[in-house]
Amino acid sequence: MNDATNDNAPEFKTGGLGPAVQSESRAFPLSDILSVTTELLLSRRHMDGLYEILGYMTGESLFTHQLPRANDTCKPVLLQQHPQLEGIAPPQGLDVPDLMAWLANAEREYGETLPVQPLTAWAHQDPIEELCDMVGPEKVFVVPVETER
């Protein structure tokens, strides 16, 4: 077996806290990024955009109840990667057409997509255990599912 490294292989980092994630960047729509940094659902892809960017950054397929923790972790990292987005948010009270116009203007000013680096440290938690910690184990029911053989 050849021990030579592959220069084309992506670099992985674990940060010592969670699963390995790729260290190369990936372009994401500005609306997805702003959904994280503003804590408003601005993604043109709605929840799919939020799941995708947070999943990419954490290196995990997140459950719904994990999104707030992931957002809290990813928001300052995104603002560090893109400091020009600090304080960028739509004015309150816009109707949908005006919100879409605001977003189109933001995309013209900052770009329709921006590169996003994954987290270098993410504290993996078992999603069921995390839910038990959030609401109490007496409120969590795990249903075993048999798989075909």
Side-chain angles (χ1 to χ4, degrees):
M1 185 162 205
N2 186 349
D3 287 334
T5 60
N6 179 353
D7 289 335
N8 295 325
E11 179 184 351
F12 288 88
K13 296 181 181 180
T14 64
L17 295 176
V21 293
Q22 291 189 37
S23 64
E24 61 188 32
S25 67
R26 179 175 152 199
F28 276 90
L30 180 65
S31 64
D32 293 358
I33 296 168
L34 290 174
S35 291
V36 176
T37 61
T38 65
E39 300 180 10
L40 301 170
L41 187 57
L42 298 172
S43 175
R44 295 180 188 277
R45 301 178 305 140
H46 309 286
M47 289 302 294
D48 289 343
L50 191 60
Y51 273 101
E52 189 171 344
I53 190 170
L54 294 175
Y56 172 75
M57 290 186 73
T58 62
E60 293 191 2
S61 178
L62 298 168
F63 285 49
T64 302
H65 66 277
Q66 294 177 299
L67 294 178
R69 181 171 67 90
N71 201 91
D72 289 347
T73 303
C74 293
K75 178 180 176 176
V77 173
L78 282 171
L79 289 172
Q80 184 179 35
Q81 292 177 21
H82 301 288
Q84 72 275 23
L85 299 179
E86 183 72 48
I88 302 302
Q92 292 184 350
L94 294 182
D95 60 15
V96 173
D98 288 340
L99 183 60
M100 292 297 102
W102 177 88
L103 185 55
N105 285 334
E107 289 169 338
R108 278 191 290 280
E109 185 171 345
Y110 301 104
E112 288 184 22
T113 63
L114 294 173
V116 172
Q117 291 277 335
L119 298 173
T120 57
W122 166 248
H124 169 77
Q125 290 184 7
D126 177 274
I128 302 303
E129 290 177 12
E130 185 172 2
L131 183 59
C132 287
D133 291 343
M134 292 171 80
V135 300
E138 70 281 356
K139 294 183 180 178
V140 178
F141 298 93
V142 178
V143 179
V145 179
E146 289 189 35
T147 58
E148 286 187 43
R149 293 181 195 211

